[in-house]
Amino acid sequence: QVQLVESGGGSVQTGGSHRLSCVVSGFSGSYYCMAWFRQAPGKEREGVAAIFTMGGTTVYSESVQGRFTISQDNTNNVLSLQMNGLKPEDTAMYYCAADCAGLRATSATIFGQGIQVTVSS
């Protein structure tokens, strides 16, 4: 059974940096697409960043473009999200996802349990 386990959540001040990691287990191959999504209270889940294994193409939402970087360590099956220049509006539960087709939340079939990131002003 495939499992995605996020780590690295916590609290950070505005302008600070934080790094999230997601370990993929139970799957010996690689997914065409992996991504990070987030969901703030009262809002829909939104795509933040995605990476396509073939060629390493990355896509970002406009709200994080230039501040966040998604990367993948295929050797250790770890997906990461480096977040710089954090803003209070980045506060949300962040989810690692696999078997996706980009930033549409409905395109992903496997999600982790989520991890909280809180940015204080």
Side-chain angles (χ1 to χ4, degrees), residues 11-84:
S11 298
V12 62
Q13 291 189 332
T14 297
S17 297
H18 215 64
R19 187 176 183 90
L20 301 180
S21 296
C22 171
V23 176
V24 183
S25 62
F27 183 64
S28 60
S30 60
Y31 287 101
Y32 169 71
C33 166
M34 293 198 68
W36 287 96
F37 292 84
R38 68 185 182 187
Q39 187 167 17
K43 295 188 177 181
E44 293 185 354
R45 188 171 296 186
E46 63 170 343
V48 173
I51 184 166
F52 296 89
T53 302
M54 296 295 290
T57 300
T58 56
V59 292
Y60 298 92
S61 66
E62 285 188 11
S63 61
V64 307
Q65 179 76 47
R67 299 188 297 123
F68 289 14
T69 302
I70 188 172
S71 60
Q72 189 173 28
D73 178 352
N74 291 322
T75 301
N76 297 305
N77 290 332
V78 177
L79 181 74
S80 299
L81 183 69
Q82 177 65 41
M83 305 182 291
N84 298 327

